[in-house]
Amino acid sequence: MTRTPLFVALAAAAAGYGQLALAQGDTPAAKPEIEEVSVTGSRIKRADIEGVGPVTVLSEASIEATGHSSLENLLQSIPAAAGFGGNQTNAYWTSNGWGTPQINLRGLGINRTLVMVNGRRVVNGGTGANSSVDLSMIPMSLISSIEVLKDGASATYGADAVAGVVNLITKKQFDGLEIEGKYGQTALGDGEETVLDLTWGISGDRGNLMVNMSYQDNGPSPLVDRVPCPLTGDSYTECSGSSSTIGGRTTLPAGAVLADGTVLTEPTRINFNQDPNGDGDFYERYDGAKHGFNYNPYFNAVQPIERFSFTTLGNFAISDSASLFTELMFTNRQSMQPASPASLSGIAYSADHPTNPTGTDFVLERRRLLENGARDFYQEVDTWRAVTGIEGDINGNWGYEVAFNWGRNTATDAIANNINMQRVGETLDPSLCGMNGIPCADYLGYGDVTVDVLDYIVFNQEGTGGNEQKSLSANVNGDLFELPAGTVGFAAGMEWREDSGWRKPDSLVQAGYALGNQADPISGSTEAREVYAEMLVPVLAGLPLVQSLDVDLAMRYSDYDLFDGEDTYKAGLNWQVNDMLKVRGTMTTAFRVPNVPELFGGVSEGNLTTVDPCSDYASLDPSSTVYQNCQAAGVPLNYTQLGTTILTDRGGNQDLTPESAETFTLGLVLQPLDGLSLTLDYFDIEIDDAIREVSGSTKLAMCYESANLGHAFCAPDQHTRNPVNGDVNYLSTQKFNTGMESMQGIDFGALYDFDFAGLSHTLDFKASYLKEYETVAFDGDEPFVLAGYIGSGNGGYPHWRTNTSLTTRGNQWSGTYSIRMIGEGDDFNADSGIGSSMPNIFYHNVQFSYAMSEALRMSVGIDNLFDQEAPRVASWTDGNTDTMTYDLAGMRSYLRMTYRFD
């Protein structure tokens, strides 16, 4: 692996150390201490972190107690996370960059969650032209705390903060050297995880420097060892293979003759020989149980990933009131996902073709090239981030910061064993094959494809891409003047930002010759200029039932090069009734401009798990809407969907416009006892002109459940069918501006620190109740309800999610027992039968930590203690379940050792 650019970061660290070492001999006047701190959700420094809005704070100790080694697993386990976010379990479903770890607050979309490091933006990550941050670039060992703001924050931070903000706060100062290692594996002996972290730091009177190096290597967990095969919809044991068969499948018209002499009286699906020792010209009626292909042995339940990161953080006081600061980060990620053998489709055969044994014109619908073996998808991503600036104070009452923030990632995205379709055509053309090095091929029947043909048509596909972000910001904050109730706080600033992304597909992909959709290069950028101001006004204080009453006001103007300017505002209320009770609330507006992949992304194609509502519609009531619509669409009465996937187009749309949002929150903070804090926050979010990618299953369901096929999703630019057999032969899930999204719910929290039996304990409970979440595709359309439903490529939106943990501490030890609950939910598409309803699922985790000496600490833990299996989901993504919601790995154990040199 080439990591040549790393020497730049190492040189920067060495230079920083030299400056710091020289400075340790100086003795400048002490800097004035500032008691207030900046809290996520506000630019004004304050002492009260609960007055900003609904913020969840994860401390370093609580993060360590979870045992998580990656940010995506930690963040996706919090109750406020929902829907779909990329991780190692659902990597196959992460668009524009399989294997990219992401976070999705509220389930409103990864591109509506703003991820920051130390209050500053981070470049998007993946394999090029991406729409969210690659969480793998930030090692867990670097994190001091995480603040999760579950509120719109565009007035404070600009576009994208629609669902909320995740602020990753790094360690500020570190003295000495710490080495940490972790090893773990699943109960099946796979999924081996190795983590090595090294952190070194030095501090002096005028500054500090910290260096962190982290390495993580996670092995695969094969799917077949957990889920032997895809199951039929009405059975717990019967396998249902893919209709992309190894012999090849087609539909012959009425009048055609089978190999045994039977004359067909209606259009009939047939399958070619699948016995490698059989008659290559044999074909028979298609039987899914007999001919279906089991692809589970080719997939993983959890994907392997390897990542290395180097980070250096430092600051240096150039005077009593000013300091220079620098953050340098580099991460290399390598991820891989195996996949089943490639499938040919849509190849026309004439009746007189030399390899056609049927004597009839037909189109080869699917042929899986098992002779070629499995495909492998591979990504290597290098991500750089550099922040530098100056911060200080003026006259003790005002602070300022000027910073330049640059981030860039470059990536290679490859597929091994893909097919050159131009060459496939050449091998089937009698006028070309057999000469000039072009072999003639017979694709009808397993085992008929020769090594010479494979050598000619198979190639390794490789594309490149990346993302870049540049920003310059200047901020000031301080006290304006005194009012009877207190000091008026103020913050203001400006920011210039440019985000760009690009993807350059393989030349064969650009030419349209690679198996899959033709794709053009993507290249685009957006530029923003923004100004903001925020004011904290103390209105009342020292009155009965009004210990303090503050109003927080903020406004931002954003000017984008591709769109009109946009104003956003925030109005917040913080009412401290007495020592026990606080009332807080916010009203905010937010907006989000379409990002580079949404605007400029080309169309890509993939076989996605999709439910066709017309499958077996003959069993429905003939008066039902679905029955009548399927019949009106020309779907044969005996139609049954073959397999579980449909070839689906995904991609960008240059006609997209910005979306806007309004958020209202109202909460209570109650502290009835010493050590006990209770929080309750209601949230109401409404998004207009929402940019969404609606799953294929959802589009088909909404179409065929509409009166007289009147829904917009019934249009031919959304999906079409094969007029002979009824198969969906075109399905688009490209992004578009929908009418509206609305969401309501309540967050609960309880934190209790207490002593019992000579030990200290912390009981932590967090819950999120999703009361309502629905989308409307256009004005007047029936709403599509997501709250309470799971699957269908949408991820999970159960009404309830909770986390509960109890930590007990002794003199040298601590133990944590935690339970994560994913609430019950219904399948998006199945009203009855197996997988139509999922129960509450509980994951139990335990960790024990022991300080063997002042320098050495050992931790052992087990995740998913009772080996909870993922529930059956009718409209599953992989493994007969929803990999976006549930765990497939099973029980895992680990050992972690930490040694600290002072």
Side-chain angles (χ1 to χ4, degrees), residues 70-108:
S70 59
L71 276 172
E72 66 270 21
N73 290 333
L74 173 68
L75 293 173
Q76 289 177 14
S77 68
I78 65 177
F84 168 69
N87 59 38
Q88 291 171 255
T89 301
N90 58 40
Y92 296 110
W93 292 78
T94 308
S95 60
N96 273 17
W98 284 9
T100 304
Q102 303 157 332
I103 175 62
N104 186 354
L105 285 181
R106 303 288 191 208
L108 287 171

Side-chain angles (χ1 to χ4, degrees), residues 45 133 224 264 378 670 696:
K45 294 188 175 182
V133 172
V224 70
L264 301 176
Y378 172 80
L670 183 64

Side-chain angles (χ1 to χ4, degrees), residues 660-678:
S660 59
E662 295 181 355
T663 302
F664 171 72
T665 68
L666 182 63
L668 300 175
V669 180
L670 183 64
Q671 296 175 307
L673 303 171
D674 287 342
L676 176 61
S677 177
L678 307 173

Side-chain angles (χ1 to χ4, degrees), residues 416-492:
N417 282 352
N418 203 12
I419 306 299
N420 183 331
M421 293 304 297
Q422 182 190 35
R423 291 193 168 190
V424 169
E426 292 173 352
T427 63
L428 288 171
D429 188 343
S431 66
L432 292 177
C433 71
M435 61 188 76
N436 299 320
I438 303 174
C440 293
D442 182 358
Y443 298 103
L444 304 180
Y446 173 60
D448 290 348
V449 180
T450 65
V451 174
D452 288 343
V453 170
L454 291 176
D455 288 342
Y456 186 70
I457 67 172
V458 174
F459 78 106
N460 292 331
Q461 175 180 314
E462 184 174 296
T464 59
N467 304 271
E468 186 172 32
Q469 182 182 82
K470 294 178 284 188
S471 70
L472 179 64
S473 61
N475 305 283
V476 296
N477 65 83
D479 300 334
L480 280 180
F481 50 83
E482 291 289 332
L483 289 177
T487 303
V488 176
F490 180 78

Side-chain angles (χ1 to χ4, degrees), residues 351-522:
D352 59 355
H353 191 276
T355 65
N356 182 355
T358 70
T360 303
D361 294 340
F362 68 84
V363 174
L364 181 63
E365 294 166 356
R366 291 293 175 88
R367 164 65 155 96
R368 191 179 297 273
L369 290 176
L370 181 61
E371 296 95 334
N372 185 41
R375 292 169 295 166
D376 285 311
F377 290 73
Y378 172 80
Q379 308 84 38
E380 181 167 10
V381 184
D382 287 332
T383 304
W384 294 86
R385 183 173 185 265
V387 178
T388 185
I390 183 171
E391 60 184 356
D393 61 81
I394 305 171
N395 299 326
N397 289 326
W398 286 83
Y400 67 89
E401 177 192 278
V402 179
F404 177 73
N405 182 354
W406 172 81
R408 180 183 174 93
N409 70 60
T410 56
T412 298
D413 189 2
I415 305 175
N417 282 352
N418 203 12
I419 306 299
N420 183 331
M421 293 304 297
Q422 182 190 35
R423 291 193 168 190
V424 169
E426 292 173 352
T427 63
L428 288 171
D429 188 343
S431 66
L432 292 177
C433 71
M435 61 188 76
N436 299 320
I438 303 174
C440 293
D442 182 358
Y443 298 103
L444 304 180
Y446 173 60
D448 290 348
V449 180
T450 65
V451 174
D452 288 343
V453 170
L454 291 176
D455 288 342
Y456 186 70
I457 67 172
V458 174
F459 78 106
N460 292 331
Q461 175 180 314
E462 184 174 296
T464 59
N467 304 271
E468 186 172 32
Q469 182 182 82
K470 294 178 284 188
S471 70
L472 179 64
S473 61
N475 305 283
V476 296
N477 65 83
D479 300 334
L480 280 180
F481 50 83
E482 291 289 332
L483 289 177
T487 303
V488 176
F490 180 78
M494 58 76 65
E495 181 177 6
W496 168 84
R497 184 175 65 256
E498 181 182 66
D499 291 281
S500 59
W502 62 93
R503 278 178 68 85
K504 185 179 180 182
D506 188 281
S507 59
L508 289 178
V509 175
Q510 295 185 49
Y513 297 148
L515 180 64
N517 250 12
Q518 182 271 343
D520 294 325
I522 301 171

Side-chain angles (χ1 to χ4, degrees), residues 255-276:
V257 181
L258 294 180
D260 61 5
T262 302
V263 178
L264 301 176
T265 59
E266 61 181 356
T268 303
R269 290 192 178 102
I270 61 104
N271 201 81
F272 294 97
N273 170 58
Q274 298 204 161
D275 181 357

Side-chain angles (χ1 to χ4, degrees), residues 61 63-68 182 806 814-818 845-849 859-863 894 896:
I63 293 172
E64 183 177 329
T66 66
H68 289 305
K182 177 185 176 183
L806 175 63
S814 67
T816 299
Y817 193 95
S818 63
N845 311 302
V846 61
Q847 183 189 87
F848 177 79
S849 182
S859 300
V860 294
I862 301 176
D863 295 334
Y894 60 88
R896 184 173 61 221

